[in-house]
Amino acid sequence: MSGRVAVVTGASGALGTATATRLQEMGATVVRNYHHTQPQDDHAFQADVSTAEGAQALIGFAIKEWGRLDVLVNNAGITRDALAVRMSEDDWDAVLDTNLKGAFLCARAALRPMLRARWGRIVNVSSIAGIMGNPGQANYSSAKAGLIGLTKSLAREVASRNVTVNAVAPGYVPSAIWDGVPEGAKQAILQQVPMGRTGTPEEVAAAIAFLASEEAGYITGQVLAIDGGLT
């Protein structure tokens, strides 16, 4: 990916960090977007991608600095878990705005230069929650399912310009959220996973990097579950 320019949203978390690092190792220049926690990187850029202004500023920064944008990884996401009967409207809106609307806003901004260049890769980070659903996560599951629909629709819109749009759907991967799960609950969850373990951020990043590469040029509109066989 030498000479390519990539933007990774939500790049201060474990998965975003692993993805940005993997793309850099492949030769790409990577803009690491963050909202609150700044990554230790020269190309870090603060923006709230749940707003049109933030998304446009992020994409505009990449274009201004390097004159192009080849890869967008929509990884930014938050959780506000609660049973549906107790979930506030604010918590619903916050998750949908960041996880789904943010991906749309960034993709809309990124597609303009990609379509002009007749080359581009967009990879949306969905979740098995968007495939299976998850109790206590009606907002998160809805947003991640929405990302799958967004992926498939955009893929059909831009395929003729050599721009691909795919999604990955990670299963249980170590994160701040996973760390907060009680040990007994973790074991019950892992018993449902045929491989009997969590994934790693690096394993998910490897799949994202493949979908962002030249070799994946004939793959579009797909959702790759990285879940140890769970789904």
Side-chain angles (χ1 to χ4, degrees):
M1 297 186 70
S2 178
R4 300 292 187 192
V5 176
V7 167
V8 178
T9 70
S12 58
L15 179 53
T17 296
T19 299
T21 299
R22 181 61 178 257
L23 293 175
Q24 284 179 323
E25 290 172 348
M26 294 170 67
T29 297
V30 181
V31 177
R32 299 187 185 217
N33 159 253
Y34 69 100
H35 189 195
H36 299 296
T37 305
Q38 182 173 356
Q40 298 302 310
D41 187 87
D42 292 340
H43 302 329
F45 188 85
Q46 194 279 334
D48 179 0
V49 298
S50 70
T51 69
E53 295 78 13
Q56 188 59 57
L58 172 61
I59 302 304
F61 171 75
I63 299 295
K64 180 180 178 181
E65 293 294 317
W66 292 280
R68 61 188 298 156
L69 177 61
D70 304 289
V71 176
L72 169 65
V73 180
N74 279 314
N75 173 65
I78 62 172
T79 56
R80 296 287 187 274
D81 295 352
L83 294 176
V85 294
R86 298 174 183 169
M87 184 175 291
S88 71
E89 188 175 348
D90 286 345
D91 285 347
W92 173 273
D93 289 344
V95 170
L96 269 290
D97 283 351
T98 298
N99 298 23
L100 180 55
K101 182 181 177 183
F104 161 72
L105 292 173
C106 288
R108 184 178 67 176
L111 279 171
R112 292 185 175 94
M114 289 180 180
L115 292 172
R116 285 196 297 269
R118 291 182 174 271
W119 200 97
R121 301 284 188 267
I122 296 177
V123 184
N124 296 319
V125 179
S126 181
S127 167
I128 59 166
I131 298 173
M132 300 172 59
N134 210 24
Q137 290 191 319
N139 49 5
Y140 184 80
S141 297
S142 296
K144 293 302 189 178
L147 273 177
I148 293 174
L150 177 66
T151 296
K152 292 180 175 292
S153 294
L154 290 181
R156 289 181 175 272
E157 290 184 11
V158 300
S160 65
R161 294 294 186 95
N162 200 33
V163 177
T164 68
V165 187
N166 292 288
V168 295
Y172 297 105
V173 175
S175 65
I177 299 171
W178 177 256
D179 291 342
V181 176
E183 191 59 35
K186 286 181 181 178
Q187 294 307 313
I189 289 170
L190 292 179
Q191 287 177 4
Q192 303 174 45
V193 180
M195 293 192 74
R197 66 172 178 88
T198 61
T200 68
E202 290 73 22
E203 287 172 324
V204 179
I208 293 172
F210 168 67
L211 291 172
S213 71
E214 187 73 42
E215 288 82 356
Y218 200 55
I219 302 171
T220 196
Q222 301 305 304
V223 182
L224 177 60
I226 308 166
D227 63 0
L230 179 60
T231 57

